[in-house]
Amino acid sequence: MISVTIDMVQYDCPYIDVTDDVDVSFHTMHWDFNTAQQELETRILVTGNDRGALTNGLNALQNHEGTLGFELLSRRENTAVIKSFIGETNAMRTIRKHDGYITGPFRISDGSELWSVGFDTADNTDSALAELEVGNDFRVESRNATSFEDYLDVIQHLGATKSVLDGCRELSEIERRTLREAVDGGYFRTPRDATLGTLAETFDVSKTAASKNLRRAEEKILERVVSALPDIDDEDVLARE
């Protein structure tokens, strides 16, 4: 399988139009393409910069000429979950024409959409990308050939992957930033290129505060990693049997 990640700007996509005008983003939770009706049904997590932005974004999407159906499923603070229907876009049609398929959730913000697309052959990949240039602006972020064994490995370890992702989502903003700065700055290298002192200076806090933020981030991530290890070990044993 050829896995391609594409940063796409479609000129006939309601979701992209809305994020271009309003400070909201969309993350698809589930999608299904109805080939008979040429419609894409999606359940989407919508996040606004604030409550007002979320309200404006939902109204803009509901009233967009390209939206064929809209239902608000739930809402809390500046996030909502919706079910919506749109028609087939030029890019969707091109991907399907060349036997492509979506391999991950759509992420839409700031007027562009991040697609994870799979193709069975390099020829199909090249043909689809060439045709996408007509009517769309896009940038290929990555392109990788994935073997059957690698793909199977990913599928078998979805539970472990989700556990680690959940740990990442549990991080507060300051914990996330501190951990990233520590990694990027070389705190975990030997010898260290960063210290608690440099982390404290970066975030204008005391060394004690920097240490607490870093330790909390490490604990949340490592707890998830350790909890996932038995699943990985069990699945690897089964794969070898």
Side-chain angles (χ1 to χ4, degrees):
M1 180 178 76
I2 309 298
S3 299
V4 185
T5 301
I6 307 173
D7 190 351
M8 173 78 69
V9 176
Q10 302 181 76
Y11 297 106
D12 55 352
C13 176
Y15 307 122
I16 288 179
D17 284 349
V18 171
T19 64
D20 202 24
D21 297 331
V22 186
D23 290 328
V24 295
S25 59
F26 298 101
H27 302 266
T28 58
M29 304 164 63
H30 170 267
W31 65 93
D32 181 50
F33 187 78
N34 187 314
T35 55
Q37 299 182 19
Q38 301 293 292
E39 289 182 0
L40 179 70
E41 175 186 348
T42 54
R43 284 168 179 78
I44 300 180
L45 175 67
V46 189
T47 303
N49 281 11
D50 51 44
R51 291 183 179 183
L54 177 62
T55 297
N56 293 337
L58 295 177
N59 290 336
L61 180 62
Q62 185 172 12
N63 296 322
H64 193 283
E65 62 181 3
T67 301
L68 305 178
F70 178 96
E71 180 180 350
L72 178 63
L73 300 178
S74 65
R75 175 172 178 164
R76 181 177 180 181
E77 300 295 335
N78 65 325
T79 62
V81 176
I82 65 171
K83 179 170 71 173
S84 61
F85 298 83
I86 67 171
E88 184 177 38
T89 65
N90 173 277
M92 290 182 207
R93 189 177 306 111
T94 299
I95 296 296
R96 294 180 60 245
K97 175 182 174 182
H98 296 279
D99 295 326
Y101 39 90
I102 302 300
T103 59
F106 301 102
R107 288 173 288 170
I108 311 166
S109 62
D110 298 323
S112 69
E113 181 174 13
L114 201 63
W115 279 24
S116 297
V117 184
F119 296 92
D120 292 327
T121 68
D123 287 342
N124 282 349
T125 307
D126 294 337
S127 298
L129 292 177
E131 190 169 331
L132 279 174
E133 293 180 355
V134 181
N136 303 279
D137 286 334
F138 68 93
R139 180 177 65 252
V140 176
E141 298 287 343
S142 65
R143 173 173 172 165
N144 301 290
T146 304
S147 68
F148 174 78
E149 289 76 14
D150 289 340
Y151 185 74
L152 183 61
D153 188 44
V154 171
I155 297 300
Q156 289 178 329
H157 296 101
L158 286 179
T161 301
K162 184 179 184 304
S163 178
V164 175
L165 286 175
D166 287 342
C168 294
R169 294 189 178 103
E170 290 175 357
L171 297 178
S172 68
E173 180 62 25
I174 187 61
E175 289 167 354
R176 183 181 295 111
R177 291 173 57 201
T178 301
L179 182 59
R180 179 178 294 147
E181 182 66 26
V183 172
D184 292 344
Y187 179 85
F188 297 103
R189 297 180 191 141
T190 303
R192 286 179 172 172
D193 293 330
T195 65
L196 286 176
T198 57
L199 291 176
E201 290 177 5
T202 298
F203 297 102
D204 193 23
V205 297
S206 67
K207 290 183 180 180
T208 300
S211 176
K212 286 183 178 179
N213 291 331
L214 184 58
R215 284 190 289 107
R216 287 170 182 164
E218 291 175 312
E219 181 179 10
K220 290 177 181 179
I221 296 298
L222 290 176
E223 279 184 350
R224 293 289 186 168
V225 170
V226 171
S227 68
L229 289 177
D231 292 336
I232 296 175
D233 293 338
D234 291 344
E235 288 164 356
D236 287 344
V237 169
L238 288 175
R240 290 193 294 269
E241 290 179 349

